[in-house]
Amino acid sequence: MTGVVLQTAVGGSGLVVALALAGFGLAAVLSVLVVVRLIRGYRRNGTRLMLHLGVGLALLVTAPIFLRLAFANLVSVSPAARSLATTGLELLGLAAILYAIYDP
């Protein structure tokens, strides 16, 4: 009986890979810009809720982007650990945003 050969390569055409990387980079840049604006707003107004919103967005969007990049390229980490770490950061970010929204 012959075995079934499974495809193990990932990726796609060069254009698809380039577009995916460009989208990833654009998301990282835009998330950093939003967080910088929120931190500047906090410094200008001094409202604690603006700080929590900035930290929440940083944990929700920016940190997982850079963590995925680091785990994929710099460190050998299992997919389960990578998923657990990024999901944990996203949950902390959502909690900080909810605190900023519902602070009494």
Side-chain angles (χ1 to χ4, degrees), residues 77-104:
V77 178
S78 71
R82 183 182 321 145
S83 178
L84 184 64
T86 55
T87 302
L89 285 176
E90 290 168 347
L91 287 173
L92 287 173
L94 285 172
I97 292 170
L98 283 173
Y99 179 77
I101 293 171
Y102 292 113
D103 184 42

Side-chain angles (χ1 to χ4, degrees), residues 1 6 15 24 29 35 44-45 55 68 74 81 84 93:
M1 182 175 235
L6 299 175
L15 178 62
F24 189 77
V29 168
V35 169
R44 184 175 44 248
N45 298 330
V55 168
R68 284 184 187 105
L74 302 177
L84 184 64

